[in-house]
């Protein structure tokens, strides 16, 4: 039985955009869609007798939120099986538990009640940093989430944290029948010459190393997915800036994240953090299995 695509819903505009994106994604992969609303009010109100036969207001609101989200998803993708649930827990912990048996977890960029000035809501950031399955934060303008660019962007870092992200990105590109740009950033050490033949020679050396690593990283995936059109790119500069700039022309940007001994959850580096806050399209954080 296929694992579901789990979406955290709360009635906000961001979560509705996430529902739309996830419905399309579930249809592409032919997997079920599970919409969950989490609130600690459910836990608190369970021990408080209600007056008369009226249901608690929070419960009514929760049922309306998940019901409206399900109706929206079913109308958008009628062939996708949609289920819903209302969970009596903190949203982050509920989504992390759901992620243990999910194809991926999807969230909006900012939830209901969070400050409008936030670049990324606390729920999306916390889930992306701790989940054991891929987490997609749906953000950016309407073109990216709608798939209008027909291009996936993969940030290629070290093999120790990127091999699962490579697999995920190739599968996404194959399911969408779109192209895949794989980008590896490189930088020269600061002490090297800023001009002249030495600079040019050093640049060729570092670019060659980046290109060789990139070929090694995606070689098996290219062979396994021959229908995916791949463009390998090496670029000089900070990886986080390069990927944010290129995200404007992508439908999804994919990066990996790894576990470190002695730490709970994933270690989201500067690249992942920057993309989660500033990318112009949805961002997939793919954990490296250990």
């Amino acid at each position: 039985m296929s694992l579901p695509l789990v979406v955290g819903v709360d009635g906000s505009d961001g979560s509705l955009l996430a529902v739309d994106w996830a419905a399309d994604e579930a249809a592409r992969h032919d997997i079920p869609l599970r919409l969950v609303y989490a609130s600690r009010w459910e836990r608190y109100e369970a021990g408080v007798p209600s007056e008369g036969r009226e249901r608690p207001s929070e419960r009514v609101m929760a049922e309306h939120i998940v019901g409206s989200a399900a109706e929206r998803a079913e109308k958008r993708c009628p062939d996708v099986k949609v289920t819903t649930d209302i969970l009596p827990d903190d949203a982050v912990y509920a989504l992390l538990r759901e992620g243990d048996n999910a194809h991926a977890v999807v969230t909006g960029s900012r939830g209901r009640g969070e400050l409008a000035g936030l670049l990324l809501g606390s729920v999306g950031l916390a889930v992306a940093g701790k989940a054991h399955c891929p987490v997609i934060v749906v953000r950016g303008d309407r073109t990216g989430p709608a798939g209008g660019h027909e291009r996936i962007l993969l940030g290629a870092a070290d093999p120790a944290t990127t091999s699962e992200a490579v697999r995920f990105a190739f599968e996404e590109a194959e399911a969408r029948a779109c192209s895949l740009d794989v980008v590896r950033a490189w930088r020269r050490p600061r002490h090297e010459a800023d001009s002249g033949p030495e600079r040019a020679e050093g640049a060729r050396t570092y670019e060659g190393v980046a290109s060789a690593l990139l070929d090694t990283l995606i070689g098996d995936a290219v062979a396994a997915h021959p229908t995916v059109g791949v463009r390998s790119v090496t670029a000089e500069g900070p990886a986080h800036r390069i990927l944010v700039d290129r995200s404007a022309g992508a439908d999804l940007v994919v990066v990996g994240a790894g576990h470190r001994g002695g730490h709970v959850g994933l270690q989201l580096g500067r690249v992942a953090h920057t993309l989660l806050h500033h990318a112009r399209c949805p961002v997939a954080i793919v954990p490296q299995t250990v």
Side-chain angles (χ1 to χ4, degrees), residues 60-160:
V60 173
M61 183 185 71
E63 290 175 351
H64 173 72
I65 287 173
V66 296
S68 298
E71 183 179 353
R72 184 184 182 101
E74 290 165 349
K75 183 176 180 179
R76 186 178 183 92
C77 298
D79 294 333
V80 171
K81 180 182 178 181
V82 180
T83 60
T84 64
D85 205 351
I86 299 171
L87 306 175
D89 205 347
D90 173 81
V92 172
Y93 292 118
L95 289 175
L96 289 175
R97 282 200 312 274
E98 291 287 317
D100 289 339
N101 292 286
H103 173 81
V105 170
V106 182
T107 76
S109 60
R110 189 170 59 247
R112 178 169 57 91
E114 292 184 304
L115 297 177
L118 291 177
L119 296 173
L120 173 65
S122 57
V123 171
L125 184 60
V127 175
K130 296 179 181 179
H132 292 282
C133 69
V135 174
I136 299 95
V137 175
V138 180
R139 56 169 298 109
D141 60 27
R142 292 275 174 177
T143 307
H149 298 292
E150 298 185 346
R151 185 178 304 278
I152 300 293
L153 175 64
L154 169 64
D158 296 328

Side-chain angles (χ1 to χ4, degrees), residues 3 10 13 16 38 41 81 94-95 97-98 100 115 145 173 182 184 188 234 272 284:
L3 292 176
D10 63 3
D13 290 343
L16 293 178
W41 278 107
K81 180 182 178 181
L95 289 175
R97 282 200 312 274
E98 291 287 317
D100 289 339
L115 297 177
V182 187
R184 170 74 182 185
R188 295 179 300 113
T234 57

